[in-house]
Amino acid sequence: MNIKTRELFFLILVKLTIFYLTLFLGIICAVRLATIFEYQNVELPSISLFNFLFTFFIATVLLIALITIIKKRTVKGKILKVLFGSISLFGSLMFFNAFLPAMFSLILVLFLGLWWIKKPTVLNQDILMVFAFSGIGAQLGLSLDYRVVILILIVLSIYDFIAVYKTKHMVKMAKEMIEVGTIPGFVFPFQTSGFLKSTAEVKPGEGKFLILGGGDIILPLMFSVSLLEFGVLTSFLVSIFSLIGVLFNFLLLFLQKERKPIPALPLISLFSITGYFFIKLFD
C-alpha cells in the first residue's frame, strides 16, 4: 500500500468517525434534553419552515456583506472570530448543560474556548465543533417537525448546488473565512500529525486537509433528532444513512480528475431522506 492510499484510508476513517460521533452525541443530547424539558414541563417553541429559511438566508446575506464590505483583513478576521467563537461556545454550552450542572458546563466550555483562542490547532478546532454542532443540532431538531426538516433539506440542497457550482459565492465565502483563521466546520487531516498543526496552516485548495462545512453536519443531525417521535432507533438508523451519504460524497470528490469543491449537502440529504422512507416501509 503506497503512502497516498494509506492517507486516503486514514482520511476516510477520520471523516466518517468524526461525522458520526457528532450525530451520535447530538441524538443522545436531544434525548437527554427532551427528558429534562418533559420533567420541567417546558414546551419548546416550534420553528416554521418560513422562519428557519428566512433566518438562514438573512444570516447568509449579512455574512456575505460583512466579508465583502470590510477590506482590512485583520479587522475582518477579529469580527468573524468573535461571531464564530460565540456561536461555537453557545452550542457547546447547550450540549454540556444536558449532562452537567451549569457551573461545570461553563468551566468546561471556557476551557475549550481559551484553548482554541490561545493555540488554535486542527485538534481543538474539531473537538469544539463536535460539541457545538451536537448541541445546536439537538436543540434545533427538537424544535422542528420532521416534515419541515425534509423540506429544509431539499431547499438548502438546491441552494448548496447553486452556491457551489453556479454563483460560487459559497466557495468564495468559505475561502475568505479560512484565510482569516475562521473555519466554519470540521478539518480532516491526511495524516495523524495533521491534528497537531495550527489552523493557520489550513489553506483553501491545498491537499493536506479536507474541510466539511457545519451545515453539512447540523442539518442531517436535525433530521435525525426530529425523528425521535418514532423512537431512538429510527433516529440512529437514519443517521447511518446520512453517514453513507458522506461516504459517497468523499468518493465523488476523489473521483474527479481535478479536485474541486463539491456541494456535500445534496447527497447527504438524499441518503437521509431515502433512509427515512426505507425504514418506514418496515414499520
Side-chain angles (χ1 to χ4, degrees):
M1 184 183 294
N2 58 44
I3 294 175
K4 184 177 180 182
T5 305
R6 286 202 303 270
E7 288 177 348
L8 288 176
F9 273 113
F10 175 78
L11 188 59
I12 291 172
L13 180 62
V14 167
K15 185 173 183 178
L16 296 182
T17 300
I18 294 177
F19 178 87
Y20 196 73
L21 175 63
T22 307
L23 265 62
F24 178 85
L25 291 177
I27 294 170
I28 297 297
C29 177
V31 171
R32 177 64 178 164
L33 287 173
T35 303
I36 294 171
F37 294 149
E38 185 178 0
Y39 177 76
Q40 296 178 346
N41 200 25
V42 174
E43 188 173 344
L44 284 174
S46 180
I47 301 174
S48 69
L49 175 65
F50 174 80
N51 286 340
F52 184 92
L53 292 178
F54 180 77
T55 303
F56 173 84
F57 285 115
I58 288 297
T60 302
V61 169
L62 291 175
L63 183 59
I64 293 172
L66 186 153
I67 290 172
T68 305
I69 293 170
I70 300 176
K71 300 298 182 182
K72 197 170 182 180
R73 180 161 292 185
T74 53
V75 176
K76 186 190 301 185
K78 288 178 180 177
I79 294 174
L80 287 173
K81 280 185 178 180
V82 169
L83 288 172
F84 174 75
S86 300
I87 294 170
S88 300
L89 295 178
F90 179 70
S92 299
L93 192 60
M94 284 194 295
F95 175 83
F96 289 120
N97 276 341
F99 304 98
L100 301 170
M103 183 57 69
F104 287 115
S105 298
L106 184 59
I107 291 171
L108 195 51
V109 167
L110 288 175
F111 168 76
L112 286 173
L114 288 173
W115 184 26
W116 177 74
I117 291 168
K118 291 291 184 181
K119 192 178 180 181
T121 63
V122 172
L123 178 63
N124 59 34
Q125 162 81 21
D126 286 348
I127 290 174
L128 183 60
M129 291 304 97
V130 165
F131 295 125
F133 295 155
S134 296
I136 294 170
Q139 187 79 35
L140 288 174
L142 289 173
S143 302
L144 287 158
D145 182 84
Y146 74 94
R147 287 159 292 201
V148 171
V149 184
I150 289 175
L151 291 174
I152 289 171
L153 288 173
I154 293 171
V155 172
L156 293 187
S157 291
I158 296 170
Y159 164 78
D160 197 23
F161 185 89
I162 294 171
V164 172
Y165 286 139
K166 299 299 180 182
T167 64
K168 298 186 179 180
H169 69 271
M170 183 80 79
V171 178
K172 294 175 184 176
M173 187 167 63
K175 283 183 179 179
E176 284 274 359
M177 295 181 74
I178 294 168
E179 285 172 358
V180 297
T182 304
I183 305 172
F186 286 127
V187 179
F188 305 115
F190 278 53
Q191 298 177 345
T192 308
S193 59
F195 280 111
L196 301 179
K197 300 290 185 182
S198 168
T199 52
E201 296 183 48
V202 180
K203 304 294 181 183
E206 292 189 2
K208 297 179 182 179
F209 302 95
L210 194 66
I211 297 172
L212 184 65
D216 301 323
I217 302 104
I218 292 174
L219 289 166
L221 173 56
M222 281 167 41
F223 184 46
S224 291
V225 170
S226 71
L227 296 171
L228 280 173
E229 63 179 272
F230 301 112
V232 178
L233 181 60
T234 298
S235 293
F236 278 120
L237 289 175
V238 169
S239 70
I240 291 172
F241 277 88
S242 301
L243 186 68
I244 296 171
V246 172
L247 178 59
F248 271 83
N249 260 313
F250 184 90
L251 296 175
L252 185 62
L253 178 66
F254 281 91
L255 283 174
Q256 298 178 109
K257 290 182 179 179
E258 180 184 352
R259 198 187 332 150
K260 296 180 180 179
I262 63 171
L265 190 59
L267 266 180
I268 296 174
S269 298
L270 175 63
F271 275 89
S272 301
I273 296 170
T274 301
Y276 162 70
F277 285 113
F278 179 77
I279 292 164
K280 293 301 288 181
L281 287 176
F282 296 93
D283 278 358

